[in-house]
Structure formats: structure tokens, C-alpha cells
């Protein structure tokens, strides 16, 4: 969501939360953009409303599982259970059809996707120095997407790396965010889900009563004009949403 930034479509988030009921809500990282707030405070009322709406849903019985990302990594210091809200580094979700899904933010794969052996030691060193100076996490993937000419190639490598990473957990699928590119794909026997974002694409992944995972996209006019939600459902072959 990147609350605390001007790019966040908080009105679209609120429409989705107000008009959608669910038993469990997974927040897949970067809920609040702490990086941006360190530079300058930007927190309009709609951003506060989003937090209040999530808390209200939790009070009314929705289980909220919050998995911090790189922009809100400080929240990992508070992993634990708080009423109906759980803060975890990752989670395993079992769908109604029995599919086991590993849920992560995705920044864990930054070093792997860089394809450079130097990044395996350079990335932790850079971030150690940045923490000492009160700066945020430096993302290899964000850097690569700005500098690599073929961004589509980078996204493909990231998706394949995440699917491969999931194999060690012996799950049927992996769900992440991080690269802001919503998708539903198959990599061999592992399904790959990316929920996209509420900055550029305004997308979310939802599970139906039969366990089927679908991608919901709010049309641009809705989050621009704050109209009621008339979300369109995308099936797997159509689900890729580029940045």
C-alpha cells in the first residue's frame, strides 16, 4: 500500500476494505512506507482511515496477518500476536481446496535475482551502513528495475526465483508482492501469485469459497473518483499486470 506516500491510492484501498468481507486478511508488506516518512511526513486523513479500517475489521473477527516488507522492515521487531492481528516474517496459508501457499513479501530474493555473487556480501554491507545512518533498506530489485533495460526479463527472473525458493518449504504455491507486478503463473508444480500493489495497479488476490485464487483489479476511474467498487475478476491467463 505504501501509506505515507503521495502515490498510495488510499481511496481505492478503503473502497476494497469497506465492500469486501473476508475471514483472513494478509498484508504482504510495505503497508507503511517508513523510508518515505523518514525523509518527510506525509499522512493525510485517508491514510489514517485505512489503518483504522483494518483495525476495525480485526476487532470484528477478521484475522489479520501482517508480513512486513523492506519499506516497513522495522515492524519485524514486533513479530507476535496482538488480538486478531499476527505479525510474522512469513506464513503458510491452506486454501479451502487444500493448496498450501507460502506467503512472503519477496525482498528476501533481492540478492538471488541480482545474479551477481558480489551482491551476496555487498547488499548486507550496504544495508548495515544505511541502518547506522538511519536510512532505509536498499533494494537490489528496485535498483535493477531502474537500470536494466529489459524490465520484463528482470520480472521473469524474479518470478522464477521466488517459485524455486518456495520448493524448500514443500508447498504448492508461493504468494508475494515487492516488485509491484501482479500475476498468476505456473512454474512447474509450483504456482506463483503476486498481489501487485495499491500504488500503480490497485490489485489484490482473493480466495473464493472453493479455494480458487483470483486477481481483483480496481479500474482507474474508481480510485481516481472514489466511486463504489466494481472490481473486475481476471483469470490466470489474463492476470499479468505490468508496471
Amino acid at each position: 500500500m505504501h501509506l505515507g506516500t503521495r502515490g498510495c491510492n488510499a481511496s481505492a484501498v478503503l473502497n476494497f476494505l469497506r465492500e469486501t468481507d473476508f475471514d483472513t486478511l494478509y498484508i504482504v508488506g510495505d503497508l507503511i512506507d517508513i523510508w518515505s516518512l523518514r525523509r518527510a511526513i506525509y499522512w493525510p486523513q485517508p491514510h489514517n482511515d485505512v489503518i483504522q479500517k483494518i483495525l476495525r475489521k480485526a476487532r470484528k473477527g477478521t484475522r489479520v496477518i501482517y508480513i512486513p516488507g523492506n519499506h516497513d522492515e522495522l515492524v519485524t521487531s514486533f513479530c507476535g500476536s496482538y488480538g486478531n492481528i499476527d505479525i510474522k516474517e512469513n506464513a503458510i496459508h491452506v486454501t479451502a481446496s487444500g493448496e498450501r501457499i507460502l506467503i512472503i513479501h519477496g525482498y528476501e530474493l533481492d540478492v538471488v535475482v541480482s545474479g551477481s555473487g558480489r551482491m551476496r556480501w555487498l547488499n548486507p554491507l550496504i544495508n548495515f551502513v544505511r541502518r547506522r545512518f538511519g536510512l532505509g533498506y536498499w533494494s537490489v530489485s528496485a535498483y535493477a528495475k531502474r537500470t536494466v533495460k529489459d524490465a520484463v526479463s528482470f520480472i521473469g527472473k524474479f518470478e522464477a526465483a521466488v517459485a524455486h525458493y518456495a520448493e524448500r518449504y514443500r508447498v504448492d504455491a508461493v504468494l508475494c508482492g515487492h516488485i509491484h507486478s501482479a500475476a498468476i503463473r505456473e512454474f512447474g508444480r509450483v504456482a506463483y501469485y503476486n498481489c501487485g500493489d495499491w500504488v500503480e495497479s490497485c490489485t489484490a488476490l482473493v480466495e473464493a469459497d472453493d479455494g480458487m485464487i483470483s486477481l481483483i483489479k480496481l479500474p482507474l476511474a474508481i480510485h481516481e473518483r472514489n466511486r463504489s467498487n466494481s472490481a473486475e475478476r481476471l483469470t490466470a491467463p489474463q492476470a499479468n499486470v505490468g508496471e
Side-chain angles (χ1 to χ4, degrees):
M1 297 182 194
H2 289 270
L3 295 169
T5 67
R6 297 182 185 278
C8 173
N9 280 288
S11 295
V13 178
L14 283 170
N15 283 339
F16 176 72
L17 292 175
R18 285 168 179 162
E19 301 181 17
T20 309
D21 292 322
F22 28 73
D23 297 322
T24 305
L25 170 65
Y26 286 95
I27 300 173
V28 191
D30 295 349
L31 170 63
I32 299 173
D33 197 319
I34 296 175
W35 293 10
S36 179
L37 290 173
R38 279 173 169 169
R39 294 191 295 270
I41 300 299
Y42 176 78
W43 195 263
Q45 186 60 44
H47 292 214
N48 199 59
D49 293 342
V50 169
I51 298 296
Q52 292 299 321
K53 186 62 178 176
I54 293 171
L55 293 175
R56 191 174 300 116
K57 280 190 173 290
R59 288 197 300 270
K60 291 184 176 180
T62 297
R63 186 187 179 201
V64 177
I65 300 175
Y66 177 16
I67 299 171
N70 50 316
H71 284 256
D72 52 6
E73 63 175 339
L74 291 179
V75 181
T76 56
S77 301
F78 301 95
C79 284
S81 296
Y82 306 88
N84 273 348
I85 299 176
D86 292 330
I87 300 176
K88 300 181 175 183
E89 293 187 10
N90 58 60
I92 300 289
H93 175 74
V94 181
T95 68
S97 61
E99 182 181 42
R100 287 169 46 83
I101 304 177
L102 170 67
I103 301 181
I104 59 175
H105 176 65
Y107 74 105
E108 300 92 328
L109 277 297
D110 273 359
V111 174
V112 176
V113 178
S114 72
S116 171
R118 292 179 300 171
M119 291 299 181
R120 295 184 182 276
W121 62 266
L122 182 59
N123 192 56
L125 176 61
I126 290 173
N127 283 300
F128 171 77
V129 174
R130 290 179 66 85
R131 282 194 299 271
R132 293 297 296 269
F133 285 92
L135 301 174
Y137 176 90
W138 181 74
S139 170
V140 175
S141 67
Y143 173 78
K145 287 177 71 179
R146 288 195 301 267
T147 57
V148 176
K149 292 183 179 179
D150 191 358
V152 174
S153 175
F154 170 78
I155 292 172
K157 290 178 181 178
F158 176 85
E159 293 173 345
V162 170
H164 180 70
Y165 175 78
E167 292 177 355
R168 69 183 67 179
Y169 289 87
R170 298 184 178 181
V171 293
D172 306 300
V174 60
L175 188 156
C176 65
H178 190 42
I179 62 170
H180 294 220
S181 184
I184 298 178
R185 300 189 187 282
E186 296 286 340
F187 287 88
R189 293 180 294 179
V190 177
Y192 168 87
Y193 301 108
N194 192 301
C195 57
D197 64 18
W198 292 92
V199 177
E200 300 163 3
S201 59
C202 291
T203 51
L205 290 164
V206 297
E207 177 190 348
D209 290 338
D210 61 0
M212 179 180 178
I213 305 293
S214 298
L215 184 67
I216 296 295
K217 176 176 173 60
L218 273 78
L220 181 63
I222 289 181
H223 62 70
E224 279 188 337
R225 302 172 190 172
N226 198 20
R227 293 177 178 173
S228 61
N229 185 348
S230 60
E232 62 183 78
R233 185 178 293 271
L234 302 181
T235 56
Q238 302 169 293
N240 184 40
V241 180
E243 286 197 278

